[in-house]
Amino acid sequence: MTRYVFITGGVVSSLGKGLASAALGALLQARGFTVRLRKLDPYLNVDPGTMSPFEHGEVFVTDDGAETDLDLGHYERFTGVAARATDSVSSGRIYSTVLEKERRGDYLGKTIQVIPHVTDQIKEFLKIGAGETDFMLCEIGGTVGDIEGLPFFEAIRQFSQDQPRGQCIFMHLTLLPYIKASGELKTKPTQHSVKELRAIGIAPDVLVCRSEGPIPVKEREKLALFCNVRPDSVIAAQDLKSIYEAPLAYHREGLDQAVLDAFQISPAPRPNLVRWEDVADRVENPEGEVKIAVVGKYTQLEDAYKSVGEALTHGGMANRVRVRAEWIDAEIFDAEDAGAHLEGFHGILVPGGFGERGTEGKIKAVEFARTRQVPYFGICLGMQMAVIEAARNLVGLDDAGSEEFDDEAGQARFTPVVYHLKEWVQGNHSVRRKKTDAKGGTMRLGAYTAHLSEGSRVAGIYGAPSIEERHRHRYEVDMAFRERLEQQGLMFSGMSPDGRLPEIVERPDHPWFIGVQFHPELKSKPFAPHPLFADFVRAATDVSRLV
Ligand code: GLN
């Protein structure tokens, strides 16, 4: 039977609840248990797919094509368990399901209320996949006391009562502020947060306290006494240099032991932490450093390219070097020379993005990388930019562009080397879209197979003739230009199984120049760096050793 750990937060947001959940998942795995992690978000958007990356950070895409919260990326990176569409839900999704049922007449004329109808729907969500794993870790977004979050807190309270005794525990994450003047860690905000939680019927079993330094015995005892938890279930979460130290740090603090104790699992299986010791060693003891320029649009918020940043770190770990990624706003190149900003980098990466703003700058970055023989990695929009650059500067189509940049009336402004894809094959059925379709959930989303050309650089890197990678885009490179582009040395080395959609382009005459239509960063893990990121960083390392 699956045991549930509910993870809630208090005092302030951004305490690293997602990371704590992911690290706990990794530690339970290290003790031989199977896990699945889930996120319940109280906002009213149906999913984060239509939310601005400036505001919400990256949208993490699952194999089965869901656009989810970036915390699911943490979960996957730490456990290696591929997230599914059913591992993420929001109030918006819950309410829209309840309202659809109401319209269909499923409730037989009853008055629809938050309790029981909304809470029942949340509980239905929690039950999906029950029995498949030893543990289900469910993180509730936001902090206790938020109005939007209440139905979720009520639902997990009810759920724990519905289950047999001892099947559910509650872990609460808070902040212990440090007051410099008195040299004290303050426990009062945590006490209030737990009081709030208990007022809605939830008593935490484990308290994880974020603090700058260790928690002295006196404060630990005070927290235990006033928050009604055992002293050894008060876990300190100190600031770390790297997130990949979290599993070992939490283990030293006794998090996994406290959770197993709360479930009365005794004797607890001994953990095997070799994987995380190796990861920590690679993070802490790099043998060199490479500098990568990430030329994008959403550069003010690093979370907007969360997985790209992590995958670069993993690529560094594979090569035992530290990757120093610098985020450069492509719009700078509208007015200034790209070369002045890109000189000195060992590799250039153009990540995914939407809309025209910044694209001219990205094209200049591609040109710089191509002509100066600097390793270039183009992801999604970054591949489209590489193709447009070649079409303009090598094929001679001066006005090459993408249909994404047509004006609002849909009037073409460029020769569409990249066009709006309206029909494609997914598995064994075909999907159709119109340009006027609603925005949410209508892209080419999720895992698709690509066949790699024999002898190509990517076939060598992957060491396989065919691959599966995750997609999230509306536009596609037009095969009508293939021959002209190939004559200019831009090879189409990965294609969809039906041979219609280009998935990868590369330049054999360049030290490392690859563009991919998919998002490889989503599948990279610290203990299994993605082959493309590992090889890109290797090429950048070679450059760094030459200079
Ligand atoms: N905007 C481009 C498209 O929709 C690229 C998307 C992306 O980079 N994820 O095709």
Side-chain angles (χ1 to χ4, degrees):
M1 206 175 198
T2 300
R3 294 177 168 93
Y4 284 79
V5 182
F6 292 107
I7 299 125
T8 60
V11 184
V12 292
S13 58
S14 307
L15 281 179
K17 240 186 313 151
L19 181 59
S21 309
L24 175 60
L27 290 174
L28 291 170
Q29 281 182 324
R31 292 192 187 250
F33 296 108
T34 55
V35 298
R36 178 161 288 283
L37 286 102
R38 281 208 170 140
K39 179 86 195 274
L40 296 88
D41 272 308
Y43 50 72
L44 282 169
N45 306 63
V46 171
D47 62 42
T50 49
M51 288 160 98
S52 161
F54 286 119
E55 200 169 309
H56 194 71
E58 162 189 279
V59 173
F60 190 80
V61 182
T62 59
D63 280 332
D64 54 2
E67 298 176 277
T68 70
D69 189 88
L70 54 78
D71 272 324
L72 268 77
H74 277 316
Y75 303 164
E76 261 203 60
R77 281 188 282 275
F78 278 80
T79 62
V81 177
R84 298 181 191 152
T86 48
D87 292 330
S88 161
V89 83
S90 65
S91 290
R93 165 99 49 212
I94 296 285
Y95 278 94
S96 72
T97 311
V98 169
L99 294 176
E100 262 166 45
K101 283 189 178 173
E102 189 274 338
R103 292 290 84 185
R104 270 205 313 262
D106 290 7
Y107 295 115
L108 304 172
K110 289 239 165 22
T111 306
I112 311 305
Q113 296 181 297
V114 173
I115 305 171
H117 301 99
V118 170
T119 46
D120 279 355
Q121 196 60 45
I122 298 171
K123 290 198 283 180
E124 283 309 309
F125 168 78
L126 293 172
K127 283 183 215 152
I128 300 169
E132 281 179 21
T133 52
D134 298 322
F135 286 94
M136 188 88 85
L137 313 188
C138 305
E139 178 191 347
I140 316 292
T143 44
V144 61
D146 296 348
I147 290 177
E148 297 94 335
L150 278 172
F152 287 105
F153 284 87
E154 169 61 14
I156 59 174
R157 183 197 66 74
Q158 290 177 18
F159 188 86
S160 73
Q161 291 293 328
D162 299 344
Q163 299 293 304
R165 259 180 216 284
Q167 289 302 116
C168 300
I169 69 158
F170 296 93
M171 170 170 142
H172 191 56
L173 211 90
T174 70
L175 174 72
L176 299 183
Y178 177 72
I179 307 293
K180 256 204 196 112
S182 58
E184 276 179 328
L185 276 180
K186 293 307 214 182
T187 64
K188 195 67 91 189
T190 299
Q191 294 179 42
H192 278 293
S193 172
V194 170
K195 204 165 138 193
E196 187 91 34
L197 205 53
R198 288 169 71 190
I200 45 184
I202 294 172
D205 299 280
V206 178
L207 209 53
V208 177
C209 301
R210 204 47 207 273
S211 69
E212 272 176 47
I215 309 178
V217 179
K218 195 173 107 248
E219 273 73 20
R220 199 180 285 266
E221 282 171 356
K222 196 164 163 190
L223 282 164
L225 183 65
F226 285 92
C227 299
N228 194 32
V229 294
R230 289 157 194 279
D232 53 9
S233 294
V234 176
I235 307 296
Q238 290 182 54
D239 298 348
L240 299 170
K241 279 211 273 318
S242 157
I243 57 169
Y244 298 116
E245 294 169 346
L248 294 180
Y250 272 124
H251 177 67
R252 278 194 301 272
E253 278 294 323
L255 175 65
D256 42 336
Q257 189 61 53
V259 166
L260 295 175
D261 285 348
F263 282 113
Q264 299 191 325
I265 297 175
S266 169
R270 292 180 70 80
N272 177 350
L273 295 165
V274 176
R275 169 188 274 185
W276 293 104
E277 281 156 4
D278 179 51
V279 164
D281 179 53
R282 284 170 187 269
V283 176
E284 284 156 21
N285 306 303
E287 287 160 11
E289 182 174 282
V290 296
K291 280 187 3 191
I292 306 288
V294 182
V295 182
K297 175 172 167 184
Y298 317 108
T299 47
Q300 301 102 305
L301 181 70
E302 249 184 61
D303 268 1
Y305 299 115
K306 186 83 200 157
S307 295
V308 171
E310 295 308 323
L312 282 171
T313 304
H314 306 160
M317 288 156 70
N319 293 282
R320 285 201 167 271
V321 293
R322 198 167 98 92
V323 174
R324 195 181 275 282
E326 213 161 289
W327 310 84
I328 301 176
D329 185 349
E331 269 185 293
I332 295 177
F333 305 155
D334 287 349
E336 293 168 39
D337 174 31
H341 288 271
L342 295 175
E343 206 70 60
F345 285 101
H346 308 124
I348 296 172
L349 189 154
V350 175
F354 292 84
E356 187 181 6
R357 197 153 58 75
T359 50
E360 291 302 323
K362 291 175 193 175
I363 292 168
K364 286 183 191 161
V366 175
E367 185 181 2
F368 179 89
R370 177 176 62 79
T371 54
R372 299 286 294 271
Q373 303 274 298
V374 180
Y376 176 77
F377 194 1
I379 294 177
C380 208
L381 188 67
M383 160 172 164
Q384 297 172 357
M385 295 297 104
V387 172
I388 292 171
E389 192 275 331
R392 285 188 189 174
N393 297 335
L394 297 172
V395 177
L397 285 168
D398 296 342
D399 63 347
S402 166
E403 279 188 354
E404 187 170 6
F405 317 145
D406 289 354
D407 67 18
E408 275 181 11
Q411 210 57 39
R413 295 177 42 231
F414 295 100
T415 297
V417 173
V418 177
Y419 69 102
H420 187 259
L421 184 68
K422 299 193 182 65
E423 192 178 352
W424 66 92
V425 178
Q426 180 166 36
N428 44 23
H429 70 281
S430 86
V431 187
R432 287 208 179 91
R433 297 274 190 254
K434 290 193 296 298
K435 209 168 182 182
T436 48
D437 278 346
K439 288 273 183 287
T442 55
M443 280 186 263
R444 184 175 173 227
L445 285 166
Y448 285 85
T449 305
H451 294 320
L452 310 181
S453 312
E454 226 182 286
S456 62
R457 187 190 291 267
V458 282
I461 293 172
Y462 276 98
S466 93
I467 55 164
E468 279 231 330
E469 293 281 7
R470 294 181 195 168
H471 291 247
R472 182 174 186 250
H473 58 111
R474 279 199 180 83
Y475 298 85
E476 200 83 40
V477 172
D478 195 335
M479 286 286 279
F481 299 91
R482 177 176 187 166
E483 229 182 87
R484 277 176 281 174
L485 288 161
E486 292 208 319
Q487 277 165 4
Q488 298 301 327
L490 190 71
M491 309 314 286
F492 286 54
S493 53
M495 297 294 299
S496 62
D498 62 5
R500 281 184 55 219
L501 307 177
E503 294 276 12
I504 306 178
V505 295
E506 62 179 78
R507 291 200 73 86
D509 63 357
H510 189 283
W512 209 98
F513 189 104
I514 294 176
V516 296
Q517 188 56 73
F518 45 81
H519 290 276
E521 71 274 20
L522 302 178
K523 285 176 60 165
S524 188
K525 290 151 194 100
F527 46 83
H530 191 286
L532 287 175
F533 278 90
D535 205 58
F536 173 60
V537 175
R538 180 207 47 78
T541 309
D542 289 348
V543 173
S544 76
R545 293 198 171 133
L546 283 177
V547 288

